[in-house]
């Protein structure tokens, strides 16, 4: 069955519930679980045996494996459909290693957030921590931003600086950054789902 | 009189004295003066009535106006010659709005430092503070770096993060950044001239 125009019909419900999307071990998911934010509707992963899905099940949350194929449009649809089916009005990316297509941004306008281990716009893309070390910066950090159609580019919601120490390698610096992530992300998600974030041009205003 | 190869013969003296180069009001120069760092040999400006030259004269320091023409190679030579004549073994750029040519980098290898009002590599070039505001970042800062042949690019010596507040405009944010500059730059210059900074690939090690 094919419905013409279906791909443009994905619309998130008006809801303060949210889906968490994660591919990896799910430490940011765990921080959101531990913060007991009301409205965590479902955890979605593209990796069937990810730590994220395990953590979700352990927390008694719906955990959905959505396999990723070659068709990004279809992948995006599937993820959005699962999120919407669980009543999510927002998508929280927590180490989700897939790129969502434009349909997701249309379906969840200013309702998709991502966390990135650098002070954007510095060091977008993969291996941000290694990039920062290679560049020799003395300060790096973490950014939470709205997702737009460019990678690691949307309006910045919150940032925290993290010092780079002389003896740092990727692991030690990433661990220091993660500590800030786990404190920051629950605050931002709570602000998002309670409607406290407004985007005005490129600036995000907290109310 | 033309001496063949002269342009490559500029060599800084082995010296812990330094020249400060400034085009503007000279607030970073004033911070260096106030920190009473031994070795401030001369203040050089390309602007005859700059605040920097005035501050130098008030502090009883040699103050040299070096007019800038169209020939960057000659401009670079002139600045280096004046610095070397005053016994400077290092160049400290403090709001110097001219680009020094390769001869300066050869003459003062890893002995030219600059201060920039952003967390490089974010927002290089002019209007860094306005760039940061337009990008909507929540954290900006200040960078002190060695000068290489690319603009705002050389190895990073020190950085400090500065928060961007919701009500900030360019003036208020720049003022907050300058406060950090005035504390940071004297510390870096003292480390530089006492030989505590080593460059290893892109990383600067403090000893």
């Amino acid at each position: 069955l094919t419905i013409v125009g279906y791909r443009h019909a994905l619309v998130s419900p008006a809801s303060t519930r949210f889906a968490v999307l994660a591919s990896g071990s799910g430490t940011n998911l765990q921080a959101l679980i531990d913060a007991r934010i009301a409205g965590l509707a479902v955890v979605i992963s593209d990796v069937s045996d990810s730590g994220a899905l395990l953590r979700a099940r352990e927390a008694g949350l719906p955990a959905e494996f959505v396999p990723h194929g070659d068709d990004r449009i279809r992948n995006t649809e599937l993820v959005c459909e699962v999120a919407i089916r669980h009543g999510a009005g927002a998508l929280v990316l927590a180490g989700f290693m897939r790129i969502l297509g434009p349909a997701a941004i249309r379906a969840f306008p200013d309702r998709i957030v991502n966390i990135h281990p650098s002070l954007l716009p510095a060091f977008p893309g993969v291996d941000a921590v290694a990039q920062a070390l290679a560049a020799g910066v003395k300060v790096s950090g973490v950014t939470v931003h709205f997702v737009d159609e460019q990678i690691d580019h949307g309006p910045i919601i919150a940032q925290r600086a993290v010092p780079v120490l002389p003896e740092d390698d990727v692991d030690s610096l990433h661990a220091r950054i993660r500590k800030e992530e786990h404190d920051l992300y629950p605050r931002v998600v709570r602000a998002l789902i309670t409607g406290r974030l407004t985007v005005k041009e490129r600036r995000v205003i907290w109310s």
Side-chain angles (χ1 to χ4, degrees), chain A residues 180-191:
Chain A
E180 292 298 325
E181 291 183 5
H182 299 163
D183 185 64
L184 184 61
Y185 215 12
R187 295 172 195 269
V188 171
V189 172
R190 193 174 278 123

Side-chain angles (χ1 to χ4, degrees), chain A residues 16-81:
Chain A
T16 58
R17 292 163 68 80
F18 62 99
V20 175
L21 280 58
S23 303
S25 67
T27 61
N28 271 307
L29 166 65
Q30 192 65 51
L32 293 165
I33 291 170
D34 293 345
R36 300 179 180 281
I37 302 171
L40 206 172
V42 58
V43 175
I44 297 170
S45 183
D46 59 317
V47 178
S48 63
D49 60 348
S50 63
L53 289 180
L54 195 67
R55 290 176 196 268
R57 289 189 200 102
E58 281 177 356
L61 293 166
E64 298 257 20
F65 165 53
V66 179
H68 238 67
D70 292 334
D71 180 352
R72 184 181 294 170
I73 291 173
R74 185 62 195 142
N75 293 334
T76 298
E77 280 178 3
L78 283 172
V79 165
C80 291
E81 283 166 18

Side-chain angles (χ1 to χ4, degrees), chain A residues 125-140:
Chain A
V126 294
D127 297 331
V129 178
Q131 286 184 57
L133 277 178
V137 296
K138 302 295 187 184
V139 174
S140 190

